[in-house]
Amino acid sequence: MELEELKSAWTQMSDELNHQKKLTNQIILDMTKQKYQNKFTTITKYETLGAVVCFVVAFFVLLNFSKLDTWYLQVCGVLTLSFLIVLPVMVLTTLKRLKNIDILNGSYKENLKFYLKTKNRLLRLQKIGIAVGFIALFFIVPVTSKIISNKNVFLTSLKTEQYIVFAITLIIMVFFCRWAYNGYLKITQSAQELIQELE
Amino acid sequence: MQKEAVFTDLIREHQSLLYKVTSIYSDNKEDQEDLFQEIVYQLWKYFDSFRNDSKITTWMYRVAMNTSITFIKKKKRRPDSVPIADVFVKQSDSNDDTYEERLRLLYQHLKYLNTLEKGLIFLLLEGKSYKEIAQITGLNDSNVGTKISRIKKKLKINMAKQ
């Protein structure tokens, strides 16, 4: 094949392609929107899964709430329920708002402003979630212990192994929270860059 | 006309241009579809920033080629693309075997070129002048000329081998 043949093959292909205008307006708009939303697919998947687990546990606690027979265990129960329901709902709502930014119709400035506001809200929620997660250990453990094995941990002295398990759980939580929070930062940062590049 | 309508008309009008860029820079159908969508997205992002100081196609070539280079670097499949396989343009609707064979050879030769060389030869095949190529790529005119003559030599040697 000579260089000239290469050129004529290309020209012939170009002519053929020019007669194949198959994309519709809707497809073009859909693919543009999809690209933006893809950035949040992974994060939403994990959050939804996490939320479902939380709701199932909350339902279990609610069903067995009558087993919490002292006022302080009931307070722990209410706090556990709030932790398991309120935060996941707030995070999912914020993620939904982020995903639904109308990148095709809103102006750049409006989108960027809305995005930054929502992103900061999401990160704040994550920070709260991480902080509360540690504190939650101190009220979730008594509740589950009472419901599952009918033991009031406030009246029972813990064994050394139990202290060790508790400490290991705390350490694992520290690493997990750091990893998850950095992941959030990375995803939201890349999406923010996308909107900033619009300028 | 609304911005959205102007944009979609532009993409429809020049979809063969986008198709050709993606065919040069991707190895398989999936990557090609993904790259196509990425380019459309990037064109939308920068649509507002287009000023009429150059032809719209010059701007489109530039965005498409820059996106392709970034795409090659990342080269990872993105999830949930809009299914466009049924509407995606084909290189040929004809049943002409000779033509199909020429196309196959064409892409085979282009495969041996590096990213920049692919871009330059693509623009040359598109019938662009050195000046236009320089405008799209950001190289200067004489640099374009030198590089293209080198690519031609490289292609010739490669063609002679086969």
Side-chain angles (χ1 to χ4, degrees), chain A residues 1 8 10 20 38 105 197, chain B residues 4 45 79 102 126 159:
Chain A
M1 197 178 202
S8 84
W10 188 267
Q20 298 177 42
N38 277 349
N105 291 320
E197 278 171 19
Chain B
E4 213 174 283
K45 278 196 340 186
R102 284 170 71 204
E126 285 285 280
M159 285 168 181

Side-chain angles (χ1 to χ4, degrees), chain A residues 124-178:
Chain A
R124 214 168 35 236
L125 280 174
Q126 291 307 311
K127 274 183 192 167
I128 294 170
I130 289 166
V132 175
F134 283 105
I135 303 164
L137 270 183
F138 295 93
F139 51 79
I140 290 175
V141 171
V143 170
T144 47
S145 171
K146 181 69 185 170
I147 290 173
I148 295 169
S149 53
N150 199 25
K151 273 186 189 166
N152 187 337
V153 290
F154 293 111
L155 302 176
T156 321
S157 51
L158 291 174
K159 292 175 190 162
T160 322
E161 306 94 81
Q162 287 170 316
Y163 278 116
I164 293 170
V165 170
F166 198 68
I168 291 173
T169 312
L170 276 177
I171 293 167
I172 292 172
M173 269 189 77
V174 170
F175 283 104
F176 176 76
C177 290
R178 270 182 58 179

